[in-house]
Structures are given as structure tokens and as C-alpha cells.
Amino acid sequence: LWDFQHYRVDMVKIDRSMLNQTENKRGAAIFRGLVAIAEELDARVLCEGVETCLEHSFAQSSGCHYGQGYYFYSPMSAVDFGRML
């Protein structure tokens, strides 16, 4: 059994499946609840699978600090990433 008091949580990553549920009131409330828990732990929040402007706006307005997904950039090879830098 884990004693969570001994572990520091720096980042909470919210799965894409949770973001998909935010189109309804209940799903949006659960998403915001996860962000609130992360805030209480003084953790940053990363939302995974952001694909649209609407999803990005919702995540950002809900308190997410970081986003990951096609909205920001599509996958690329290491070589292409090096060129981009």
C-alpha cells in the first residue's frame, strides 16, 4: 500500500479520453475537478490529445498549464525536429 504523503507530485497528465468528455456538463465538471485536485497538490497540469482550438480553449480556461497534441504540432522525425530547432 502506498503512502502518498511521501511522494511529491509535480505534474498531472490528463488523458485525451477525459478531454473528449468535456462536451457535456458532467464531463466538463469531472475535467475541472481533476485540475482542481492537481492545484491542491501544487502540481502543473498537462492535457494530452488537444486537437482543436475549442479543446485548447477549454483546457486553458480550466487551468491546464500545458497541452500536447495535433493542435500544437503533428508528429515528426528526430531529424525534422532538429531542423525545426
Side-chain angles (χ1 to χ4, degrees), residues 11-12 14 34-35 38-39 43-47 63-67:
M11 177 82 63
V12 172
I14 300 177
L34 293 171
V35 172
E39 288 175 352
R44 306 298 271 173
V45 181
L46 177 128
C47 185
C64 288
H65 302 98
Y66 307 104

Side-chain angles (χ1 to χ4, degrees), residues 19 22 28 31-32 35-36 39 47 53-66:
L19 187 59
T22 60
F31 186 94
R32 288 189 186 108
V35 172
E39 288 175 352
C47 185
C53 182
L54 186 62
E55 290 173 340
H56 175 255
S57 294
F58 176 82
Q60 193 172 38
S61 69
S62 296
C64 288
H65 302 98
Y66 307 104

Side-chain angles (χ1 to χ4, degrees), residues 34-43:
L34 293 171
V35 172
I37 290 169
E39 288 175 352
E40 287 295 318
L41 296 171
D42 293 323

